Amino acid sequence: MSSATTRTTTTTPGTRRAALADPGYQAFVILRTGFTVAPILFGLDKFANLLVDWPSYLAPWIDDIVPGSAQAAMYAVGVIEIVAGVAVALAPRFGGWLVAGWLAGIIVNLLTIPGHYDVALRDFGLLLGAVALARLAQRYHGERRQR
């Protein structure tokens, strides 16, 4: 039997405090929280356009190939972003990669719209954060330490 199947989990205030004191675990929690909340909020805003006029961020060539209006495309984008945020909350090892892939698509879209290069660069930074989350999740999420 492998050691992974014979481990036991004991949660005590001391072990919980030790985990929370680990800077790597702190980074994981911060990234997981941010990449859960932000995609859900941005996804919900695709239905209200309170933060920005989201259809203006859709490249014309993409608008030409997706059915319906740019706003209808933003509704689909909103649903995908909400799902991505929930995926990060429930399965960050998968959700981090999902968000990174989604951000890569957004970056390609933005690089084809003149005047949106600054947003594409910001989203590249977010993509790096999502990759870091996925890698940290490999280490910390669902980990069962022998106590």
Side-chain angles (χ1 to χ4, degrees):
M1 215 182 260
S2 75
S3 63
T5 59
T6 59
R7 291 182 182 175
T8 59
T9 302
T10 305
T11 303
T12 65
T15 57
R16 178 99 172 123
R17 194 172 349 194
L20 292 174
D22 175 9
Y25 185 74
Q26 291 171 2
F28 167 67
V29 171
I30 290 166
L31 289 169
R32 185 179 187 184
T33 302
F35 282 107
T36 294
V37 173
I40 291 171
L41 291 179
F42 284 130
L44 290 172
D45 193 56
K46 298 298 188 292
F47 294 90
N49 290 312
L50 296 174
L51 298 173
V52 69
D53 178 35
W54 290 109
S56 69
Y57 284 85
L58 185 63
W61 69 272
I62 295 176
D63 191 21
D64 290 342
I65 60 174
V66 297
S69 67
Q71 183 59 55
M74 287 298 116
Y75 294 148
V77 166
V79 170
I80 293 167
E81 289 175 342
I82 292 166
V83 168
V86 171
V88 168
L90 299 177
R93 286 178 289 184
F94 168 75
W97 291 113
L98 176 63
V99 169
W102 183 247
L103 284 163
I106 291 171
I107 291 166
V108 168
N109 169 71
L110 291 171
L111 288 175
T112 63
I113 307 171
H116 288 76
Y117 305 130
D118 57 332
V119 182
L121 181 59
R122 181 216 51 204
D123 284 354
F124 180 71
L126 290 171
L127 182 149
L128 294 176
V131 169
L133 167 64
R135 296 301 299 138
L136 286 167
Q138 188 69 33
R139 168 70 172 90
Y140 292 106
H141 183 68
E143 178 184 82
R144 299 183 191 276
R145 296 181 185 170
Q146 188 173 359
R147 306 285 180 208

